Amino acid sequence: MGEQGVDETILEVQGVHTFIGQHHILQGISFDAKADAVTVLIGRNGAGKSTALKTVIGLLPSSKGKIIYKGKEIQKNRPFEIARMGIGFVPENMGIFSELTVEENMRVAMLVENEATARRLDRTLEMFADLKKFWKAKAGNLSGGQKQMLAIARAIVNDTSLLLIDEPSKGLAPIIVDAVIDAINRIKEHSVVVLVEQNFYMASSVGDYFFILDDGMVAHAGHVEALIQDEALQSKYLGISEAEE
Amino acid sequence: MAESILRRWNQELTIAGAIVLLLLPLIGIQPKTYLTLTIAGIAMGMLLFLVASGVSIIFGLMDVLNFAHGALFAWGAYVGFTVFKYLMKWVVADSVLQNLAVFFIAIVAAMVAVALLGVVLERVIVRRVYGNHLFQILITFGATIVLVELIRVFWGPNDETMTVPLTFAGNWDIMDVIVYRYRVICIVIGAMVYAVLQLILKKTKLGTIVRAGVEDRDMVQAMGHNIYLLFTGVFAVGAGLAALGGLAMSIFSLQVYPDMGGTYLLFAFIVVIIGGLGSVTGSLVGALIVGLTYNYVAYLVPWAAAGVNILIMIIILLIRPTGLFAAGK
Amino acid sequence: MAGPTPVQIFHEEEKKRQYRSGTFFLKVGLLLLFLLVPVLFPAFKTIDLAMQIVLFAVLVASFDILLGYTGILSFGHGMFFGIGAYCVAFLIGKYGMPSYTNLALGFLIAAIVSAALALLISFLTLRVKTIFFAMITLAIAELAIILATKLTGFTGGEDGISLNTPGIFAVSFNMGDFMGLEITGRVFTYYFILFSCIALFLIMLRFTRSPLGRVLQAIRDNVQRAEALGYNTFLYQSISITFGCIMAALIGGLYAMWVGYVNPESSLGVLTIMLDVLLMVIIGGMGTLYGGIIGAAFLKITQTFLPDLQHLAMDLFPHAQLLHNVLERWLLLFGILFILVVIFFPKGVIGSVNEYLLQRKMAKPTISPSSFTPTPPGNRP
Ligand SMILES: Nc1ncnc2c1ncn2[C@@H]1O[C@H](COP(=O)(O)OP(=O)(O)OP(=O)(O)O)[C@@H](O)[C@H]1O
Ligand SMILES: [Mg+2]
């Protein structure tokens, strides 16, 4: 859908290195996210996809390289500062506060509670009807799919211009995956999305650009359409996830 | 589903256990004495709760085990002691109003002063060792040494006598059951603090964020909340509660001494291990268990009083290692 | 056999260098010093100081097995020390005649009791969180003091127990003059304890350098990874804790032999023994074993000469009230020192020196096989 637009880059990751303890995980990774598009990071398990997202949001400190968001270097900022610049984050484990109710989860997520937020909340709840149904229920009791919806809802209830989503299809039934695809397709109308995804079906349904990560570096990049054509590339890097499907 | 049934079952088990535990001492104690002891136990439990809840929330949110909490407790007692000393007229006045006034001033002074001390402690010392349990314990232990020594420098190394505000002293005789007035005050204070804490945690946005942080600090940060400010705030509140506990306890035991924090820190640890680290309700239940058993056993078998709580803690560790009310994680 | 591998060559080189290096001479010098103390400085005060340094250095080393090598903080180490002291005191003081058999039996019982208790505590706490170990050992240590104080009939209560050492260790024993040195029971006791401590220290050194010790350090550095590699971390940690606690108990027994007296405060105290041990291990350096020697020497010497220092200050600056107040509260200074060391020199004296030496060695390249990069001992908790 929306890959026409201006070719403006909202996020640019340039040669970033990240260590976890003594392990050198990201070894000079570079990728970007264009405005009005969904960028997908793919790669086998342990390639460093989650680490890349956590580095962007600031939960893991980078040791080298630059992260530029809307023309500003953010690699030295703390997570909450980065989040306040309009970056939403849905981690791999979803980060649901399971002892809190759905309502409380949403409230914690809302940075400012004004009319605009209320409108976004309405829009979000209309998108994820289940959340409305279980509004007062403990989030820990939600199903896996509902938790994923809640995690995404929390991220888009603020005025975000960039959304980082880590493997939203993980452990979900195909029908639910379709629902998540729908949701992301709607979200991309008002926010740039960087999506980590192993599920090629999902990646190809929502993605515009892709970056294939391998061993903490970018191995390939391009248009998702090109990737759909290129069976050799698919089987080299995505063989496993296709076999699973 | 199964989990929630199990949880409910656990809750019922806990309540049943608590009732049995509560009534068991009746075998060896006269009912009237029993009532007096029960009130004493609840009062002591409420004071322990004040100390333990701080340890518990600080650990839950910040993952910091604060060994300096006992020293903050002692500082609270000493600040209150100083207020009492300067306003002795009001302490010994036979006027409920003046007694209440001086009590209130002492509480505010102790809580504010020690909360500020807590802010300094968190900013200067604890902040450097986030994420490293070993160094946290070492450094807060070092802070304890310094804080206790500072008490000796400022107030002298000896025990001092604490005065009970006149109208708080003495007891009521309700149908032959002796009820000490100050114990009732302690119970009221503890219950109020619990209610306020619950209200803040459950009903305000800030409290909700704190509870969310207990479960997942990183996520709260990634949502744009300044977790460091939150840490400092919670540390200050914990310190303030310790100060309140210290002040109330010093009136209870009629004395202040520099090392007084050590014993109560230990009680607080036992309480949070029994109740579960990170849970305020757990701290309350744990504190009441410790307070009550201590008083019953101290009456029945005086020499065993100190050991029985450790025994309960060990039993809890064996059957439910995360404590009665495990929070989050 | 084929020629030596690069690693073997490296080890050989290392071994040769060991006997030439400064630290080797330092160790020999130190040993000689302690051996000669009774000859050179026969005054009771100096012998006692030397003995205290030796005992505490080894006690700190045993504590370091837990803290520096296993990553576990125990506030019960003083208690295990005290258990050892009490066991020996029971056997040759309160409940038995001073004989060699009873003395040996005392040490044996000390080892058994401390091993059992250490295993129990490990079992209770390590299943949950390793930080529980700190909380629970503090509670149990406090309980031990209360029991030792309250169970007057069994332990002698606050008054403690005096004990008489048997045979050649007895205070009354005197063999007369030998080259100007009066060979008394005290002298025998000194050497007996000195050699025992050296033996214990060597055993601990061997322990940390054994394969077991390496696994422990791997666990300390990264529990998850060690677990992923298939190590039963619980088992390894329990073994190490038990080993450290047995060592503490044996040293406690030796301590009782030296001071001839045990009571709850001086032998079990959390605020007396534990505080000293913690200060010593932090100042000397965690995860080094040798750090204990420096920490113990520093603290014991300062404590011994503090009164003199106070008098000196009094004479020199009779009006500097603040100085006197602060010197009077020397613990305050130690507390501040403790915090500063934890923040700025978390590796302590030995660790920092090691790091410095290593950096210098790195600066000028020496032969070292590419696959083998030596790491400083005890690089982090
Ligand atoms: N806390 C940690 N300590 C050590 N290594 C870690 C840690 N977290 C992640 N790693 C390592 O970092 C590498 C990258 O991890 P990351 O989670 O980014 O991979 P991923 O691409 O998201 O994989 P997956 O598809 O399985 O989610 C992996 O090899 C992993 O083992
Ligand atoms: Mg991942």
Side-chain angles (χ1 to χ4, degrees):
Chain A
M1 289 160 213
E3 85 223 43
Q4 63 290 8
V6 268
D7 202 29
E8 193 190 335
T9 305
I10 185 165
L11 176 76
E12 212 175 330
V13 175
Q14 298 175 348
V16 163
H17 292 253
T18 300
F19 284 81
I20 301 181
Q22 277 137 14
H23 307 276
H24 194 173
I25 310 286
L26 296 188
Q27 315 188 353
I29 199 173
S30 301
F31 65 90
D32 56 11
K34 304 235 174 358
D36 300 322
V38 174
T39 303
V40 200
L41 305 183
I42 7 190
R44 55 173 185 77
N45 293 100
K49 306 179 298 287
S50 302
T51 309
L53 289 196
K54 280 190 196 160
T55 307
V56 172
I57 193 74
L59 286 174
L60 290 172
S62 55
S63 63
K64 226 162 106 185
K66 281 184 188 165
I67 301 172
I68 299 164
Y69 168 70
K70 288 187 175 169
K72 236 183 103 190
E73 284 189 27
I74 59 165
Q75 70 272 10
K76 289 276 174 286
N77 286 82
R78 292 183 286 182
F80 71 91
E81 293 163 341
I82 297 173
R84 285 184 188 173
M85 294 172 188
I87 302 185
F89 177 54
V90 180
E92 192 167 6
N93 63 4
M94 299 180 282
I96 298 293
F97 308 122
S98 47
E99 297 290 316
L100 273 54
T101 64
V102 172
E103 178 186 12
E104 287 170 335
N105 266 276
M106 292 304 294
R107 266 196 93 192
V108 173
M110 290 188 248
L111 272 182
V112 276
E113 297 190 22
N114 55 18
E115 244 172 69
T117 313
R119 264 201 308 279
R120 277 192 298 271
L121 180 62
D122 284 343
R123 183 187 70 197
T124 311
L125 289 183
E126 174 208 329
M127 207 148 93
F128 305 119
D130 273 7
L131 295 187
K132 212 169 188 172
K133 201 158 102 198
F134 295 107
W135 192 236
K136 296 274 178 198
K138 231 164 88 169
N141 296 340
L142 295 178
S143 77
Q146 289 161 345
K147 277 184 187 153
Q148 192 61 257
M149 304 289 173
L150 175 58
I152 296 175
R154 290 191 316 191
I156 60 174
V157 75
N158 292 309
D159 184 19
T160 48
S161 19
L162 175 63
L163 206 57
L164 312 172
I165 311 180
D166 199 345
E167 283 198 59
S169 70
K170 199 178 175 186
L172 300 186
I175 289 193
I176 315 272
V177 171
D178 282 330
V180 175
I181 290 175
D182 270 355
I184 291 177
N185 275 328
R186 290 183 61 177
I187 290 166
K188 75 194 236 185
E189 283 161 20
H190 49 83
S191 174
V192 181
V193 177
V194 173
L195 183 70
V196 165
E197 197 45 79
Q198 301 251 45
N199 180 335
F200 186 65
Y201 165 63
M202 172 141 183
S204 56
S205 331
V206 297
D208 300 308
Y209 301 99
F210 76 89
F211 290 84
I212 295 183
L213 268 52
D214 199 26
D215 269 340
M217 282 181 275
V218 173
H220 271 280
H223 270 93
V224 167
E225 270 133 45
L227 181 63
I228 296 173
Q229 310 297 317
D230 193 341
E231 306 234 322
L233 200 59
Q234 275 179 41
S235 67
K236 184 167 172 204
Y237 289 105
L238 304 165
I240 310 165
S241 78
E242 247 187 344
E244 270 173 2
E245 262 327 292
Chain B
M1 199 58 181
E3 195 187 318
S4 75
I5 290 176
L6 207 69
R7 194 170 301 152
R8 187 165 321 147
W9 167 237
N10 251 323
Q11 237 165 42
E12 275 160 16
L13 208 69
T14 312
I15 293 167
I19 292 172
V20 171
L21 198 78
L22 210 60
L23 295 179
L24 199 64
L26 268 176
I27 301 170
I29 308 175
Q30 294 263 317
K32 275 173 192 147
T33 320
Y34 171 79
L35 279 178
T36 307
L37 287 176
T38 303
I39 292 171
I42 294 176
M44 180 177 165
M46 285 301 189
L47 296 184
L48 292 180
F49 162 71
L50 295 178
V51 195
S53 56
V55 172
S56 187
I57 314 176
I58 290 174
F59 182 83
L61 180 70
M62 305 161 67
D63 201 23
V64 168
L65 192 56
N66 181 19
F67 267 69
H69 219 75
L72 296 172
F73 174 91
W75 267 80
Y78 270 92
V79 172
F81 168 75
T82 307
V83 171
F84 271 29
K85 204 166 107 186
Y86 281 105
L87 296 174
M88 194 44 94
K89 273 204 319 272
W90 290 4
V91 178
V92 294
D94 191 5
S95 143
V96 180
L97 211 64
Q98 280 181 351
N99 287 168
L100 272 178
V102 70
F103 190 49
F104 185 73
I105 293 171
I107 286 178
V108 172
M111 288 183 78
V112 170
V114 176
L116 287 177
L117 199 61
V119 170
V120 174
L121 203 62
E122 197 272 341
R123 287 271 155 125
V124 179
I125 292 181
V126 178
R127 178 153 296 190
R128 295 168 191 273
V129 286
Y130 279 133
N132 187 333
H133 283 145
L134 210 58
F135 273 39
Q136 283 165 9
I137 300 175
L138 287 173
I139 216 164
T140 51
F141 184 75
T144 302
I145 301 174
V146 173
L147 287 174
V148 172
E149 284 305 305
L150 283 177
I151 288 180
R152 293 200 169 98
V153 169
F154 293 147
W155 283 283
N158 301 322
D159 298 11
E160 303 274 357
T161 314
M162 193 75 185
T163 324
V164 188
L166 192 67
T167 51
F168 297 0
N171 53 274
W172 292 299
D173 191 331
I174 302 169
M175 296 194 296
D176 278 356
V177 178
I178 295 167
V179 180
Y180 290 92
R181 289 182 199 169
Y182 184 65
R183 288 180 185 169
V184 177
I185 293 176
C186 288
I187 295 174
V188 172
I189 291 178
M192 265 163 48
V193 167
Y194 177 73
V196 170
L197 277 182
Q198 284 298 36
L199 214 66
I200 292 175
L201 284 173
K202 293 272 154 75
K203 296 291 177 222
T204 68
K205 175 145 181 179
L206 196 68
T208 316
I209 295 174
V210 169
R211 276 189 299 138
V214 169
E215 278 196 60
D216 192 337
R217 276 189 298 283
D218 280 355
M219 199 58 224
V220 167
Q221 273 200 85
M223 285 178 160
H225 300 294
N226 186 346
I227 198 94
Y228 301 99
L229 212 57
L230 209 60
F231 282 1
T232 311
V234 164
F235 206 89
V237 170
L241 288 178
L244 175 58
L247 171 60
M249 186 61 86
S250 67
I251 300 175
F252 196 83
S253 57
L254 301 177
Q255 60 175 350
V256 289
Y257 54 99
D259 279 327
M260 65 188 290
T263 321
Y264 294 102
L265 180 69
L266 219 66
F267 271 123
F269 282 168
I270 296 174
V271 165
V272 292
I273 289 177
I274 292 177
L277 274 162
S279 158
V280 173
T281 306
S283 296
L284 181 68
V285 174
L288 290 176
I289 293 177
V290 169
L292 286 169
T293 40
Y294 185 88
N295 276 281
Y296 296 145
V297 177
Y299 180 79
L300 290 169
V301 206
W303 64 267
V308 71
N309 286 309
I310 293 179
L311 202 69
I312 294 177
M313 174 181 82
I314 289 174
I315 292 170
I316 296 273
L317 273 176
L318 281 175
I319 56 173
R320 207 175 141 78
T322 48
L324 296 175
F325 293 75
K329 284 167 219 150
Chain C
M1 248 224 272
T5 65
V7 174
Q8 277 169 337
I9 294 176
F10 181 77
H11 279 304
E12 283 300 312
E13 283 289 323
E14 191 80 318
K15 213 177 265 173
K16 271 188 222 148
R17 202 169 322 136
Q18 226 171 33
Y19 294 109
R20 278 186 270 123
S21 72
T23 44
F24 178 70
F25 288 115
L26 204 65
K27 284 172 201 165
V28 173
L30 209 60
L31 187 64
L32 275 178
L33 180 67
F34 280 109
L35 279 173
L36 292 178
V37 161
V39 185
L40 298 177
F41 315 101
F44 173 74
K45 194 174 168 184
T46 36
I47 298 189
D48 187 54
L49 177 61
M51 192 85 286
Q52 297 266 354
I53 292 176
V54 170
L55 283 164
F56 270 88
V58 187
L59 181 63
V60 170
S62 72
F63 184 67
D64 203 16
I65 297 269
L66 274 71
L67 184 66
Y69 289 88
T70 318
I72 281 174
L73 180 54
S74 163
F75 282 100
H77 215 66
M79 171 184 69
F80 285 100
F81 176 86
I83 286 176
Y86 266 94
C87 283
V88 167
F90 284 153
L91 264 289
I92 60 172
K94 198 161 157 69
Y95 300 106
M97 292 324 283
S99 72
Y100 293 125
T101 332
N102 278 353
L103 184 63
L105 211 59
F107 279 105
L108 184 69
I109 294 175
I112 293 172
V113 171
S114 56
L117 189 58
L119 277 175
L120 178 75
I121 299 177
S122 308
F123 175 73
L124 281 175
T125 55
L126 295 185
R127 290 187 311 148
V128 200
K129 278 200 174 91
T130 43
I131 47 161
F132 272 34
F133 202 88
M135 298 162 83
I136 286 175
T137 45
L138 187 65
I140 294 184
E142 207 67 39
L143 178 67
I145 295 173
I146 293 170
L147 288 183
T149 317
K150 295 263 170 75
L151 299 180
T152 321
F154 177 53
T155 62
E158 299 241 25
D159 296 339
I161 305 169
S162 296
L163 49 100
N164 297 309
T165 34
I168 55 168
F169 302 130
V171 185
S172 52
F173 182 83
N174 195 328
M175 231 168 64
D177 246 36
F178 178 73
M179 295 200 330
L181 172 67
E182 215 182 6
I183 307 293
T184 57
R186 219 70 217 138
V187 172
F188 271 112
T189 315
Y190 178 87
Y191 284 109
F192 174 75
I193 294 177
L194 180 62
F195 286 121
S196 306
C197 283
I198 292 170
L200 291 179
F201 191 81
L202 291 177
I203 292 173
M204 288 190 269
L205 213 55
R206 186 78 199 82
F207 179 84
T208 57
R209 295 189 177 164
S210 68
L212 182 76
R214 295 218 192 84
V215 174
L216 282 169
Q217 287 158 56
I219 294 173
R220 172 200 67 188
D221 290 339
N222 192 336
V223 177
Q224 280 89 21
R225 197 186 57 190
E227 259 163 17
L229 288 174
Y231 290 117
N232 182 346
T233 56
F234 173 70
L235 181 72
Y236 281 102
Q237 289 177 330
S238 310
I239 292 175
S240 165
I241 289 169
T242 311
F243 174 73
C245 292
I246 293 176
M247 290 291 132
L250 296 180
I251 299 161
L254 294 172
Y255 176 82
M257 276 180 75
W258 180 251
V259 295
Y261 171 74
V262 295
N263 75 346
E265 206 207 313
S266 71
S267 322
L268 285 163
V270 173
L271 276 178
T272 45
I273 305 228
M274 266 328 292
L275 192 63
D276 283 0
V277 168
L278 270 168
L279 281 165
M280 289 171 187
V281 77
I282 292 299
I283 291 168
M286 291 185 254
T288 60
L289 285 197
Y290 285 106
I293 302 172
I294 291 185
F298 171 76
L299 206 71
K300 282 291 166 194
I301 292 174
T302 333
Q303 282 173 351
T304 310
F305 291 107
L306 240 142
D308 297 340
L309 202 67
Q310 278 167 3
H311 288 144
L312 189 72
M314 208 79 92
D315 293 342
L316 285 181
F317 313 101
H319 301 298
Q321 195 52 46
L322 187 71
L323 180 71
H324 301 154
N325 278 355
V326 169
L327 276 181
E328 190 126 334
R329 301 257 61 90
W330 53 273
L331 203 52
L332 176 66
L333 298 179
F334 280 164
I336 294 171
L337 179 70
F338 182 90
I339 293 176
L340 292 179
V341 172
V342 170
I343 293 178
F344 297 108
F345 303 99
K347 293 165 188 174
V349 173
I350 295 253
S352 303
V353 169
N354 266 341
E355 200 175 44
Y356 174 72
L357 290 180
L358 196 83
Q359 270 166 6
R360 270 188 31 180
K361 219 156 87 186
M362 297 295 217
K364 45 178 176 178
T366 50
I367 32 151
S368 110
S370 54
S371 62
F372 187 90
T373 34
T375 47
N379 44 5
R380 46 187 207 107

